[in-house]
């Protein structure tokens, strides 16, 4: 079962994993209000949708009342067949490198933590590294070094440190929450000055 | 659940062995096993057990039941049809047999899980350590224990050495054993543990970790029974000795009906691989890699760095080797220090360019190799010495092979030879390996073995 978005967000908050400001919106007006003149993202959240962007269930860079209203009704139309669903509005993350942070419970070895090149590249390149929880900082470093895209996602020392910290926190999150069966933070947008977790999926 | 450790020492170094199911008929498994003990020169006390026994089989004193043997038995090898195994095992228990190898098939592998559970219960009740069922069992060339039911003329015997090999599958096990016989590093212990009904890979790793004769552990795995316990032993064992692993099942479907990207990416094989990487195992992708890695760990100390010097008597092969080295994740070609360059310039003929790869030319003989290797061995910019010897050239012969063996003893950096060729080369390969010089048959295999050695060294040096 997929954990409700804000419950999942709450689990991340507790580990100090910061996710982007979000709110459910029930109407286009609601979404416009949330935006308060900043660009936003609208997404459909449904158990039935794993590949949201591919299915056209994510609309980004929405600025202004008209833009948001049009996107909202478009999403509503597409989401009908995915009911029950909700529409979530999020602030736009500034651009950076997209990674995936994940985890799952393995019947043999227990909790595993994963990092990889994120966003739309996950399935295409399958470039990821995996370890058993708990991991050490050495493990986190080795995981990043193991990625073919390692040098891309750690383009600076600061970004590398941010990703290492995130991996250690994700490992702790998985260890401390027995009931988490699967975890996807995808994408997490990493920049020199910080990061934003943009999408959260927790299965319990 | 924690459980007691099994003592496998009496299985591997038994003072007394009973073969249950020993038979006169040459094609029977029990006959072959008994014959192998005799051929192998096992020097402990050997007994045969056969319900319909004559007084002796193959000159070995034969009993109707193990209970009739007055001696305390360290190892009983059971090679009888599956349905009779529980009774035979029960008798082993009463006779206070310490360890048992059940060679017989016909248990969980064909769906007879109840029968398998029964024999585990019997073994547990009597505190017998049981390997199998459905396995080849154990081999130790030092103690000359050999429970394998493979005729000796079909399977060449490995030399005595420091590599222990653990294989769930008997087929892969016997193939690798056969291949190892052509390698200079030699065998310490062999375990084929089949269905792993009681003793499993965790128990065997635990034993081999403590075993002083084992320098390197090589494993072929299909599955792991106790994941968390495996992790605990994995953490400990690689601190003590290197482990090379080949895991089957790469292409098996990932987690089906996954709801997350993570689960669809990271299936069961990936989870195993993650554990191996995390705890410093060297992962092989096929049987030949198993042997390459086993060899490097058996012969060489971990290098202090990844800078390689290539010394060759063939220009093209030198370039190919430079390519192979540079294609690894962590190795590179070192640049000779100015001191060593000057030294080489004085010692090498004018036609030799002083650079890495160092091409000694097709007429290079023992003396030229010797001068070059000795100079390079002292270079602080070089961590690994990789001589290529093409025995097809006029200057390369047994004198060169002998010289390399001699130099090797004075070099305290990893030194690995690449030699490619057929009979004449093979002869020198065996000669050099017996003399302590590992020989590889291709640039890529040598480079990936050295890379594995280097990375294991990094793992050992890591700070937690």
């Amino acid at each position: 079962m997929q954990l409700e978005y804000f419950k999942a967000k709450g689990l991340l908050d507790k580990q100090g994993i910061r996710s982007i400001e979000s709110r459910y919106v029930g109407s286009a007006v609601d979404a416009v209000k949330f935006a308060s003149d900043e660009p936003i993202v609208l997404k459909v959240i449904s158990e039935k949708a794993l590949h949201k962007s591919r299915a056209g269930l994510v609309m980004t860079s929405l600025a202004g009342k008209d833009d948001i209203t049009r996107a909202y009704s478009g999403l509503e139309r597409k989401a009908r067949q995915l009911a029950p669903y909700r529409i979530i509005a999020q602030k736009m993350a500034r651009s950076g490198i997209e990674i995936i942070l994940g985890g799952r419970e393995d019947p043999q070895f227990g909790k595993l933590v994963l990092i990889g090149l994120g966003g739309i590249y996950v399935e295409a390149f399958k470039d990821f590294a995996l370890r058993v929880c708990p991991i050490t900082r050495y493990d986190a470093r080795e995981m990043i070094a193991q990625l073919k895209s390692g040098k891309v996602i750690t383009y600076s020392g600061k970004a590398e440190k941010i990703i290492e910290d995130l991996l250690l926190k994700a490992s702790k999150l998985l260890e401390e929450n027995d009931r988490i069966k699967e975890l996807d933070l995808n994408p997490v947008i990493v920049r020199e000055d910080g990061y934003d977790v943009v999408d959260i999926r927790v299965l319990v | 659940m924690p459980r007691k450790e099994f003592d496998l020492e009496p299985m591997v170094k038994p003072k007394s062995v009973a073969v249950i199911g020993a038979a006169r008929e040459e094609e029977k498994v029990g006959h072959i096993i008994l014959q192998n003990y005799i051929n192998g020169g096992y020097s402990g006390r050997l007994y045969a057990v056969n319900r319909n026994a004559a007084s002796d089989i193959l000159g070995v004193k034969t009993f109707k039941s193990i209970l009739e043997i007055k001696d305390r038995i360290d190892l009983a090898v059971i090679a009888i049809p599956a349905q009779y195994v529980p009774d035979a095992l029960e008798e082993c228990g009463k006779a206070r047999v310490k360890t048992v190898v059940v060679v017989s098939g016909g248990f969980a592998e064909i769906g007879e899980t109840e029968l398998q559970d029964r024999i585990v219960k019997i073994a547990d009740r009597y505190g017998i350590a049981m390997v199998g069922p459905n396995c080849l069992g154990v081999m130790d060339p030092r103690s000359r224990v050999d429970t394998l039911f493979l005729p000796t003329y079909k399977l060449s015997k490995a030399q005595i050495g420091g590599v222990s090999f653990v294989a769930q599958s008997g087929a892969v096990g016997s193939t690798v054993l056969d291949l190892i016989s052509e390698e200079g590093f030699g065998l310490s212990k062999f375990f084929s543990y089949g269905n792993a009904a009681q003793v499993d890979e965790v128990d065997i790793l635990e034993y081999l970790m403590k075993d002083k004769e084992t320098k390197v552990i090589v494993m072929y795995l299909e599955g792991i029974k106790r994941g968390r316990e495996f992790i605990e032993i994995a953490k400990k064992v690689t601190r003590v000795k290197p482990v090379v692993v080949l895991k089957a099942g790469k292409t098996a479907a990932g987690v089906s009906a996954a709801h997350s990207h993570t689960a669809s990416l990271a299936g069961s094989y990936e989870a195993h691989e993650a554990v191996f990487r995390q705890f410093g195992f060297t992962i092989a992708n096929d049987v030949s890699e198993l042997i390459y890695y086993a060899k490097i760990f058996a012969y060489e100390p971990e290098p202090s760095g990844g800078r390689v010097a290539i010394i060759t008597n063939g220009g093209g092969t030198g370039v190919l080797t430079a390519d192979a080295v540079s294609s690894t994740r962590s190795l590179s070609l070192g640049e000779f220090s100015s001191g060593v360059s000057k030294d080489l310039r004085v010692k090498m003929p004018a036609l030799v360019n002083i650079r890495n790869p160092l091409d000694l030319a097709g007429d290079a003989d023992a003396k030229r190799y010797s001068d070059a290797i000795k100079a390079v061995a002292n270079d602080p910019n070089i961590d690994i010495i990789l001589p290529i010897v093409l025995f097809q050239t006029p200057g390369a012969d047994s004198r060169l092979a002998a010289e390399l063996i001699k130099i090797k003893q004075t070099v305290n950096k990893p030194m690995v030879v690449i030699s490619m060729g057929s009979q004449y080369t093979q002869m020198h390969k065996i000669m050099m390996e017996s003399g302590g010089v590992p020989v590889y048959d291709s640039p890529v295999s040598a480079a990936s073995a050295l890379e594995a050695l280097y990375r294991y060294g990094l793992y050992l040096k890591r700070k937690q």
Side-chain angles (χ1 to χ4, degrees):
Chain A
M1 192 194 69
Q2 192 173 328
L3 200 62
E4 188 276 321
Y5 190 88
F6 288 92
K7 281 190 184 146
K9 186 171 158 51
L11 289 177
L12 300 190
D13 290 344
K14 261 186 229 154
Q15 294 295 339
I17 302 175
R18 201 170 52 250
S19 52
I20 198 144
E21 190 187 340
S22 312
R23 207 176 78 201
Y24 286 130
V25 286
S27 66
V29 176
D30 213 2
V32 173
K33 216 165 94 196
F34 172 79
S36 60
D37 294 333
E38 282 178 47
I40 61 162
V41 177
L42 290 175
K43 297 181 185 174
V44 175
I45 305 247
S46 161
E47 285 258 12
K48 290 173 190 156
L50 172 58
H51 301 282
K52 285 200 282 281
S53 346
R54 212 188 290 162
L57 299 173
V58 181
M59 306 284 286
T60 61
S61 306
L62 305 171
K65 193 180 156 198
D66 292 354
D67 214 8
I68 294 171
T69 309
R70 212 173 312 120
Y72 189 90
S73 46
L75 284 180
E76 252 190 334
R77 227 178 2 260
K78 278 186 201 152
R80 230 165 267 154
Q81 57 197 349
L82 300 169
Y85 71 89
R86 302 192 74 170
I87 293 179
I88 202 166
Q90 297 184 321
K91 290 283 157 71
M92 274 292 285
R94 279 179 294 137
S95 64
I97 301 288
E98 296 193 1
I99 63 166
I100 174 174
L101 263 181
R104 73 169 177 88
E105 186 176 70
D106 183 78
Q108 273 287 353
F109 301 113
K111 292 287 173 60
L112 306 173
V113 63
L114 170 144
I115 186 174
L117 189 59
I120 56 169
Y121 301 113
V122 172
E123 304 274 329
F125 294 119
K126 296 191 180 355
D127 184 22
F128 66 91
L130 193 70
R131 293 292 185 277
V132 180
C133 300
I135 57 165
T136 62
R137 190 165 287 275
Y138 173 90
D139 292 324
R141 262 186 216 133
E142 275 284 299
M143 288 175 82
I144 297 165
Q146 185 192 328
L147 297 176
K148 291 187 195 79
S149 54
K151 290 209 174 73
V152 178
I153 68 174
T154 59
Y155 58 99
S156 78
K158 279 182 195 157
E160 183 163 14
K161 173 79 167 49
I162 290 171
I163 297 172
E164 281 173 25
D165 288 345
L166 275 171
L167 264 170
L168 290 167
K169 284 178 184 167
S171 164
K172 213 158 153 255
L173 168 76
L174 288 156
E175 275 255 293
E176 288 177 5
N177 293 277
D178 219 20
R179 63 187 185 134
I180 299 181
K181 301 282 177 258
E182 294 175 32
L183 167 77
D184 267 357
L185 306 180
N186 183 36
V188 180
I189 298 180
V190 180
R191 297 175 304 271
E192 182 114 349
D193 62 351
Y195 68 92
D196 286 301
V197 174
V198 170
D199 199 41
I200 308 168
R201 187 192 302 266
V202 174
L203 294 160
V204 290
Chain B
M1 53 180 178
R3 61 173 208 186
K4 79 178 189 89
E5 233 175 80
F6 293 107
D7 184 11
L8 301 179
E9 192 69 8
M11 182 180 290
V12 175
K13 307 280 185 198
K15 294 189 181 68
S16 51
V17 174
V19 179
I20 300 177
R24 274 184 199 284
E25 298 84 347
E26 274 178 36
E27 69 285 359
K28 288 225 167 137
V29 167
H31 180 94
I32 300 170
I33 293 172
L34 193 64
Q35 183 74 63
N36 284 353
Y37 268 92
I38 296 162
N39 292 353
Y42 172 67
S43 60
R45 302 178 299 274
L46 186 61
Y47 304 94
V49 177
N50 186 321
R51 279 200 307 179
N52 317 305
S55 59
D56 78 85
I57 298 171
L58 290 168
V60 175
K61 196 157 186 337
T62 303
F63 299 84
K64 283 196 172 14
S65 157
I66 197 156
L67 287 165
E68 291 173 12
I69 304 173
K70 293 284 170 273
D71 197 0
R72 175 97 190 258
I73 302 297
D74 282 343
L75 167 65
V77 187
I78 300 183
I80 55 178
Q83 74 262 33
Y84 304 118
V85 171
D87 287 343
L89 199 57
E90 191 78 44
E91 289 184 358
C92 287
K94 286 179 186 148
R96 295 171 56 237
V97 170
K98 290 179 192 162
T99 68
V100 162
V101 171
V102 182
V103 172
S104 323
F107 294 86
E109 81 279 8
I110 57 156
E112 295 285 345
T113 45
E114 250 173 70
L115 190 61
Q116 183 160 312
D117 290 345
R118 257 176 79 197
I119 64 170
V120 172
K121 277 203 191 100
I122 297 167
D124 283 346
R125 178 149 39 87
Y126 288 104
I128 301 172
M130 175 179 74
V131 165
N134 185 35
C135 71
L136 287 177
V138 296
M139 184 192 267
D140 178 345
R142 286 186 178 81
S143 68
R144 304 194 175 191
V145 156
D146 175 2
T147 73
L148 279 60
F149 54 86
L150 305 169
T152 38
Y153 70 91
K154 288 192 170 182
L155 177 77
S156 300
K157 280 271 186 298
Q159 304 174 43
I160 291 178
V163 175
S164 284
F165 177 45
V166 186
Q168 200 159 2
S169 146
V172 174
S174 48
T175 311
V176 174
L177 263 187
D178 201 16
L179 290 170
I180 285 179
S181 71
E182 296 209 327
E183 300 295 334
F185 54 77
L187 183 74
S188 176
K189 314 283 180 307
F190 170 73
F191 282 93
S192 147
Y193 57 100
N195 295 0
Q198 188 210 46
V199 169
D200 62 17
E201 51 282 334
V202 174
D203 302 306
I204 296 171
L205 266 182
E206 183 102 42
Y207 172 75
L208 292 175
M209 175 176 75
K210 291 173 187 161
D211 177 38
K212 293 205 165 54
E213 292 166 356
T214 298
K215 272 184 66 186
V216 183
I217 301 170
V218 178
M219 306 186 88
Y220 167 79
L221 285 175
E222 283 168 2
I224 289 171
K225 268 178 71 192
R226 297 178 286 147
R228 297 307 300 186
E229 287 91 337
F230 186 87
I231 288 175
E232 289 314 309
I233 188 73
K235 276 181 200 168
K236 285 194 268 172
V237 65
T238 45
R239 292 266 148 218
V240 187
K241 49 191 82 167
V243 183
V244 181
V245 65
L246 172 61
K247 165 81 173 65
K250 205 175 205 164
T251 50
V255 178
S256 57
H259 295 288
S260 61
H261 291 289
T262 299
S264 70
L265 289 173
S268 166
Y269 177 84
E270 288 75 18
H272 282 82
E273 204 184 53
V275 169
F276 300 148
R277 277 181 196 275
Q278 194 163 352
F279 304 112
F281 285 37
T282 298
I283 301 169
N285 287 304
D286 71 9
V287 167
S288 59
E289 279 189 14
L290 265 190
I291 292 172
Y292 296 153
Y293 293 145
K295 184 188 298 203
I296 200 83
F297 287 117
Y299 280 100
E300 298 301 318
E302 294 83 39
S304 48
R307 297 163 303 174
V308 178
I310 298 168
I311 299 167
T312 181
N313 61 354
T317 318
V319 177
L320 287 176
T321 305
D323 289 345
V325 166
S326 307
S327 301
T328 62
R329 191 172 135 194
S330 26
L331 303 180
S332 60
L333 289 198
E335 203 171 305
F336 297 137
S337 65
S338 61
V340 168
S341 293
K342 274 182 208 142
D343 190 18
L344 283 168
R345 187 64 284 158
V346 173
K347 286 174 179 153
M348 293 295 116
L351 81 164
V352 173
N353 271 318
I354 307 305
R355 61 169 181 227
N356 190 8
L358 188 65
D359 185 353
L360 302 182
D363 63 341
D365 57 4
K367 169 84 167 59
R368 203 179 297 165
Y369 267 96
S370 170
D371 289 344
I373 293 172
K374 280 179 187 154
V376 171
N378 291 323
D379 195 325
N381 290 351
I382 299 298
D383 307 302
I384 295 166
I385 301 166
L386 185 48
I388 300 165
V389 181
L390 303 174
F391 280 98
Q392 296 84 358
T393 60
D397 55 23
S398 302
R399 284 170 296 184
L400 172 52
E403 185 64 26
L404 289 172
I405 292 169
K406 217 170 88 192
I407 301 169
K408 177 81 166 81
Q409 287 154 7
T410 67
V411 173
N412 55 5
K413 295 173 181 173
M415 177 176 139
V416 164
V417 168
I418 297 174
S419 277
M420 293 179 277
S422 63
Q423 282 177 11
Y424 189 72
T425 299
Q426 283 306 309
M427 179 181 92
H428 287 101
K429 172 203 160 172
I430 293 167
M431 178 180 161
M432 285 191 280
E433 291 202 334
S434 314
V437 182
V439 181
Y440 283 82
D441 62 3
S442 82
V444 171
S445 62
S448 61
L450 286 167
E451 159 91 356
L453 184 71
Y454 176 63
R455 298 209 65 82
Y456 178 62
L458 287 185
Y459 177 81
L460 289 179
K461 273 185 247 165
R462 78 179 201 164
K463 283 195 225 84
Q464 278 298 332

